[in-house]
Amino acid sequence: MVKEELVVLGRDGADGCCPGLLTAPLDEARSIELAKVFKALGDPIRLRLLSMIASRAGGEVCVCDLTPAFDLSQPTISHHLKLLRQAGLIDCERRGTWVYYWLLPETTDRLAGILTRPAGPPLPERAGTAVDA
């Protein structure tokens, strides 16, 4: 397996921290970086795979346990897993014939931090929003 260097989201500046999406506008480079992760999460198959991996007792799962859950070929599942790896959401290790996958929680934690609204007064309700529907 080729190990690719992953960009760690949210590591800007000297203190290793940066503002979230809801506190400051994103620069072009950061928006491109985040879009790759959100694109990986935007596919229902990949979202299910990530959920299956993240929720697995013991923290890792064999590809042999993932493939039967889908009506897709093994190469297609491997392609989806590769895209999740390239987005920095999961990592893997080959053990004999099988590959085992696990969640990279630092990436999902950073995504959560980026999307979290800072503490403060609640935003005013607006007429016609999805909440009213």
Side-chain angles (χ1 to χ4, degrees):
M1 286 252 131
V2 175
K3 295 276 185 176
E4 297 179 24
E5 187 172 328
L6 301 174
V7 175
V8 179
L9 298 176
R11 293 281 172 111
D12 295 334
D15 61 354
C17 183
C18 58
L21 179 68
L22 304 177
T23 59
L26 294 173
D27 63 26
E28 183 178 357
R30 187 121 189 268
S31 64
I32 291 169
E33 191 179 298
L34 282 170
K36 290 177 186 175
V37 178
F38 286 119
K39 184 175 180 179
L41 290 173
D43 181 279
I45 301 296
R46 290 192 289 272
L47 197 53
R48 282 185 59 207
L49 282 166
L50 183 70
S51 175
M52 291 172 72
I53 294 166
S55 64
R56 179 65 127 200
E60 64 181 27
V61 61
C62 177
V63 70
C64 62
D65 295 324
L66 295 171
T67 306
F70 299 90
D71 190 23
L72 298 169
S73 68
Q74 184 276 326
T76 301
I77 296 296
S78 292
H79 171 73
H80 285 295
L81 290 166
K82 175 184 167 187
L83 294 175
L84 289 171
R85 268 193 355 265
Q86 288 175 339
L89 292 160
I90 62 172
D91 203 358
C92 65
E93 175 182 76
R94 178 172 294 280
R95 298 179 196 156
T97 344
W98 300 110
V99 179
Y100 288 79
Y101 292 89
W102 58 88
L103 178 73
L104 293 175
E106 49 284 352
T107 303
T108 54
D109 290 350
R110 280 189 181 41
L111 285 177
I114 287 166
L115 294 173
T116 300
R117 193 174 67 79
L123 294 175
E125 290 190 33
R126 307 222 189 282
T129 61
V131 175
D132 295 336

